[in-house]
Amino acid sequence: MAKVSPGEFVNQVKTEASKIVWPTGRETVMTAVMVVIMTTLLGLFFFGIDTFFGAIVQWLLGFASGRG
C-alpha cells in the first residue's frame, strides 16, 4: 500500500466527500414514514402469530392436563 502524506490524504477525503449525494428532506421523510408503516405492520403480524400460537400451546397444555 502506498504511503500518502497527510495533506494528500485530506485532499482525497475532500474529493470523495464531494461525490456524496445526500437525500432531500422529502426523501428522508418518506423513508421514515415507510419505516414506521412497515414496522407497525410487522409488529401487528408477529403479535397475531404469537397470540395464535400461545392459544394453541395453552389448549395443548390444558388438554394434556385433562381439563381440555
Side-chain angles (χ1 to χ4, degrees), residues 47-63:
F47 175 75
I49 295 295
D50 184 55
T51 302
F52 175 73
F53 282 113
I56 290 175
V57 169
Q58 289 299 317
W59 179 78
L60 288 172
L61 290 173
F63 183 75

Side-chain angles (χ1 to χ4, degrees), residues 34-53:
M34 290 305 296
V35 167
V36 169
I37 290 171
M38 290 306 296
T39 54
T40 301
L41 290 174
L42 283 171
L44 291 171
F45 172 76
F46 285 118
F47 175 75
I49 295 295
D50 184 55
T51 302
F52 175 73
F53 282 113

Side-chain angles (χ1 to χ4, degrees), residues 16-31:
E16 292 300 318
S18 69
K19 297 177 185 177
I20 296 173
V21 178
W22 295 100
T24 64
R26 187 175 192 288
E27 289 172 332
T28 303
V29 169
M30 290 302 293
T31 302

